[in-house]
């Protein structure tokens, strides 16, 4: 059952950093349509986690930041660095599309092309946009549940440098630094981050700690080649080394090791013509995941995977009038994967060609309408066509926003599901979804309060699952998810920010199979609450706390293995020293709650950390 921690509202009101759901109505978002848009022109549900929130919360794991977002559920199989998956509005974790600096990073070598958030630390990530709901018109495959868009810092005007280092529980060391600047027509930045920990036992019954080491680097440069032409280069790299506990059967202490190298690259040209009325972007993106697994450290890898996705993108934006835009584009991508181990090797690839068009118009004051269509042609299963439309209406200059959204999503079968020599099925069809939203955002008290409520429904068909009757993958599942998301953001005085969010997700199997039909989908708790506040004291001290409460769920599709809900609380503080330095610290899981996000896997108890930041 759900375990509640006792924290008074007064304590919360002098505590936690605010979530950026309180963004101004004119804040720019890019995830909804693939171009910059004022937020009050978007009819879809989007949450923004900005640089200030990331810094104040002092969070290391991206999934811990996402966990306070309405509609998000996650699970992690043990210590930091272990496999971590994110579900949006009850969708499969493989139906979450992930972008890093505009590059799709879902792994083509995974069983379902999912993304492992376990190795993605906050490092030098400066902004996260979470779009909830199906949106394949803009983003193509995987965007059934929604999109998580992560961005590093844009180069500063002049010169800027930041660095931080912290130490804490389980001999954990984290350090990061970045520099950026602009000189004439060239702007750029580079950053690096290092993390190591002795960790915890990933197996709940284990006694040995599973350590983890992670290094990440990022760089970007933009060169103005003329008044209308610019070159944009971006790169992101992660390398990691993880001790983990064997997952063949119930997890138990073992000497298993996993190593990852992830490469992300983007090279683009931007051209603006006719006084900005016609803008073009042509880019090549490249992502490669290399995963090696060892039964014993120091030996040759026993098995491994390599997944690569090479993409070409063209996007055009025509603005015939200030109140209208046409976005259109062409994409070609070539995912491929390689596997070795257990006496065999395998290598497969596919080609996907896509075209799309999206219209955005403001026919009258306060009303914004968006609609579009996309067609994807896959070299194996053929074509998939998706539609989407949304509207945002404000009768009072952004004080009230009424949002409506309809989106279709699809997910191509993974190369493993199509071609694996034992369980592959070349006749698989893409998974398809239809998603409906209706929402209301209401500002009160001269903008010091925001109430946001969204109701949603999504039906997914042809969902791919392993068929125990044929021992192959098949389009055997149907699911339905419905629910409500609500956020209350308050700023009663300039120094205090309070945010509360709640989401209800009813995610159920609708396959018709007697053992599963009507059951709740695994690891999707129906209820989740997050309450945060932060207070900036007049003498410079900043204090904060967050509490998240997640209801009961099940670890399996038959709903035979329950997972108890949990309530976790954390507190934090920071204090400036001089003009360029700041000391900070936090305590996670303040009340040492015993909980699990995946059956048989361990979680962290109470843990404290402290560090210092420098800015120039």
């Amino acid at each position: 059952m759900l375990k509640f921690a006792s924290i008074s509202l007064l304590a919360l009101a002098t505590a936690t950093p605010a979530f950026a759901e309180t963004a101004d109505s004119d804040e720019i978002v890019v995830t909804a349509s693939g171009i910059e848009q004022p937020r009050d022109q978007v009819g879809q549900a989007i949450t923004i986690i900005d640089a200030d929130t990331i810094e104040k919360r002092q969070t290391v794991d991206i999934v811990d930041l996402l966990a306070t977002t309405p509609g998000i559920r996650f699970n992690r199989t043990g210590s930091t660095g272990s496999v971590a998956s994110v579900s949006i509005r009850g969708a499969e974790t493989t139906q979450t599309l992930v972008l890093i600096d505009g590059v799709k990073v879902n792994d083509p070598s995974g069983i379902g092309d999912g993304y492992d958030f376990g190795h993605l630390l906050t490092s030098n990530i400066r902004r996260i946009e979470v779009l909830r709901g199906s949106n394949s018109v803009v983003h193509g495959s995987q965007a059934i549940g929604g999109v998580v868009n992560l961005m590093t810092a844009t180069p500063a005007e002049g010169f800027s440098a930041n660095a931080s280092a912290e130490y804490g529980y389980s001999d954990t060391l984290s350090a990061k630094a970045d520099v950026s600047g602009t000189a004439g027509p060239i702007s750029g930045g580079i950053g690096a981050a290092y993390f190591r920990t002795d960790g915890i036992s990933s197996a709940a019954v284990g006694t040995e700690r599973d350590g983890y080491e992670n290094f990440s680097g990022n760089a970007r440069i933009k060169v103005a080649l003329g008044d209308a032409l610019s070159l944009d280069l971006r790169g992101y790299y992660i390398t990691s080394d993880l001790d983990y506990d064997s997952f063949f059967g119930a997890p138990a202490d073992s000497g298993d090791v996993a190593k990852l190298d992830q490469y992300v690259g983007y090279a683009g040209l931007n051209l603006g013509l006719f006084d900005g009325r016609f803008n073009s972007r042509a880019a090549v993106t490249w992502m490669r995941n290399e995963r090696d697994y060892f039964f014993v450290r120091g030996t040759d890898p026993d098995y491994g995977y390599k997944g690569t996705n090479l993409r070409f993108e063209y996007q055009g934006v025509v603005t015939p009038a200030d109140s209208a835009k046409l976005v259109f584009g062409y994409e070609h991508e070539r995912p491929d994967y390689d596997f070795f181990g257990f006496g065999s090797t395998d290598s497969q690839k596919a080609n996907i060609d896509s075209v799309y068009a999206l219209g955005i118009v403001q026919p009258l004051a306060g009303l914004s309408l968006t609609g579009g269509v996309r067609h994807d042609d896959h070299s194996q299963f053929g074509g998939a066509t998706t539609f989407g439309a949304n509207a945002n209406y404000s009768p009072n200059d952004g004080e009230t926003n009424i949002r409506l959204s309809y989106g279709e999503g699809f997910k191509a079968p993974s190369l493993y599901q199509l071609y694996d020599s034992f369980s592959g099925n070349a006749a698989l069809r893409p998974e398809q979804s239809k998603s409906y939203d209706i929402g209301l955002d209401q500002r009160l008290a001269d903008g010091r309060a925001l109430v946001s409520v969204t109701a949603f429904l999504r039906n997914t068909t042809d969902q791919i699952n392993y068929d125990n009757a044929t021992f192959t993958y098949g389009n055997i599942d149907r699911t339905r998810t419905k629910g409500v998301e609500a956020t209350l953001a308050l700023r009663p005085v300039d120094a205090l920010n309070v945010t509360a969010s709640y989401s209800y997700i009813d995610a159920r199997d609708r396959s018709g199979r007697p053992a599963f039909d009507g059951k709740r989908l695994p690891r999707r708790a129906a209820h989740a609450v997050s309450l945060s506040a932060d207070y900036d004291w007049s003498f410079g001290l900043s204090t904060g706390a967050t509490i998240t409460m997640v209801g009961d769920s099940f670890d399996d599709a038959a709903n035979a293995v329950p997972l108890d809900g949990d309530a976790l609380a954390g507190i934090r503080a920071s204090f400036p020293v001089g003009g360029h330095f700041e000391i900070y610290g936090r305590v996670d899981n303040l009340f040492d709650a015993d909980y699990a996000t995946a059956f048989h896997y361990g979680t962290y108890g109470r843990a404290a950390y402290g560090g210092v930041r420098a800015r120039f």
Side-chain angles (χ1 to χ4, degrees), residues 71-74 85-93 96 523-524:
I72 295 289
R73 305 291 187 266
F74 84 95
S85 304
V86 168
S87 169
I88 301 178
R89 289 182 170 176
E92 295 296 308
T93 57
T96 298
R523 299 179 181 175
R524 274 81 143 190

Side-chain angles (χ1 to χ4, degrees), residues 57 75 120 241 264 319 331 394 422 589 599:
R57 291 202 175 174
N75 62 82
L120 187 62
D241 185 307
V264 178
T319 309
E331 298 173 359
S394 175
F422 297 101
N589 195 358
F599 191 61

Side-chain angles (χ1 to χ4, degrees), residues 198-216:
D198 288 345
I200 60 172
S201 173
S202 290
V205 298
T207 57
E208 67 166 2
R209 294 179 182 271
D210 291 311
Y212 181 60
E213 188 173 26
N214 178 300
F215 172 82
S216 64

Side-chain angles (χ1 to χ4, degrees), residues 486-561:
T487 300
L488 172 64
L490 301 173
R491 194 179 184 93
V493 294
D494 290 343
L496 175 63
N497 246 319
V498 180
T499 301
S501 66
Y502 166 76
S503 58
Y504 168 71
I505 298 174
D506 183 17
R508 295 186 182 271
D509 187 300
R510 289 288 183 258
S511 64
R513 295 175 295 162
F516 307 109
D517 190 62
K519 304 288 188 181
R520 291 191 175 275
L521 299 182
R523 299 179 181 175
R524 274 81 143 190
H527 303 278
V529 177
S530 174
L531 181 60
S532 297
D534 74 299
Y535 191 83
D536 296 323
W537 300 85
S538 59
F539 54 92
L541 176 67
S542 176
T543 55
T546 296
I547 181 169
T548 57
M549 295 178 286
V550 180
D552 299 343
S553 61
F554 296 95
D555 195 68
D556 64 326
N559 290 183
V561 181

Side-chain angles (χ1 to χ4, degrees), residues 105-407:
V105 293
N106 290 64
D107 187 2
S109 68
I111 289 178
D113 290 347
Y115 184 76
D116 178 7
F117 282 84
H119 304 289
L120 187 62
L121 308 182
T122 51
S123 302
N124 288 310
I125 299 296
R126 289 292 185 269
R127 179 182 174 93
I128 305 171
E129 293 185 9
V130 181
L131 183 148
R132 304 186 298 278
S134 302
N135 190 6
S136 284
V137 170
V138 174
H139 297 289
S141 183
Q142 272 95 34
I144 284 180
V147 182
V148 178
N149 188 2
L150 305 116
M151 309 168 204
T152 57
T154 55
E157 293 291 335
F159 172 81
S160 173
N162 301 276
S164 67
E166 69 174 54
Y167 182 80
Y169 174 78
S170 195
D171 197 23
T172 298
L173 172 66
S174 178
K176 59 187 177 182
D178 68 84
V179 295
S180 68
T182 300
I186 301 175
S187 60
I190 186 169
Y194 175 76
F195 176 89
R196 70 155 309 277
T197 182
D198 288 345
I200 60 172
S201 173
S202 290
V205 298
T207 57
E208 67 166 2
R209 294 179 182 271
D210 291 311
Y212 181 60
E213 188 173 26
N214 178 300
F215 172 82
S216 64
N218 63 283
R220 64 193 306 168
I221 186 169
K222 189 169 185 177
V223 182
L225 302 175
D227 293 338
L229 181 65
S230 63
L231 173 67
D232 192 0
L233 303 174
R234 311 168 198 164
Y236 201 90
Y237 172 67
I238 301 173
T239 184
S240 67
D241 185 307
L242 170 70
D243 295 319
Y244 71 97
D245 290 329
S246 175
F247 54 82
F248 294 104
D253 283 342
S254 69
D256 291 76
V257 176
K259 296 185 178 183
L260 167 85
D261 285 290
Q262 182 180 97
Y263 309 84
V264 178
Y266 176 99
L269 280 172
N270 305 289
L271 177 64
L273 299 172
F274 308 114
D275 295 325
R277 294 292 184 179
F278 179 33
N279 293 289
S280 291
R281 179 180 64 87
V284 175
T285 74
W286 182 72
M287 189 282 298
R288 184 174 179 87
N289 259 11
E290 298 179 358
R291 297 178 288 135
D292 290 324
Y293 298 87
F294 308 76
F295 295 142
V296 179
R297 182 178 290 279
T299 64
D300 291 333
D302 293 280
Y303 64 102
Y305 303 85
K306 293 181 181 178
T308 305
N309 196 359
L310 177 65
R311 293 172 53 88
F312 168 77
E313 305 173 347
Y314 170 78
Q315 181 188 73
V317 182
V318 178
T319 309
D322 292 341
S323 60
K325 277 188 173 66
L326 173 64
V327 183
F328 59 94
Y330 165 76
E331 298 173 359
H332 172 81
E333 64 180 293
R334 193 190 68 187
D336 66 75
Y337 91 101
D338 296 280
F339 166 79
F340 73 88
F342 310 111
S344 67
T345 61
D346 194 12
S347 180
Q348 301 291 345
K349 63 181 61 178
N351 288 281
I352 306 172
D353 291 281
S354 310
V355 291
Y356 64 92
L358 192 73
I360 305 169
V361 296
Q362 290 86 48
L364 51 89
L367 177 63
S368 181
L369 304 175
T370 302
V373 61
R374 180 188 185 97
H375 181 78
D376 294 82
D377 188 71
H378 193 286
S379 59
Q380 175 58 47
F381 65 74
T385 300
T386 50
F387 299 89
N390 64 82
N392 190 316
Y393 176 61
S394 175
N396 48 15
D397 295 325
E399 294 299 303
T400 303
N401 281 283
I402 301 168
R403 297 178 282 106
L404 296 170
S405 176
Y406 168 74

Side-chain angles (χ1 to χ4, degrees), residues 562-583:
L563 286 173
D564 285 345
D566 60 75
L568 303 178
I571 57 173
R572 63 191 64 83
S574 63
F575 188 77
V577 179
H580 299 288
F581 296 93
E582 180 183 45
I583 56 174

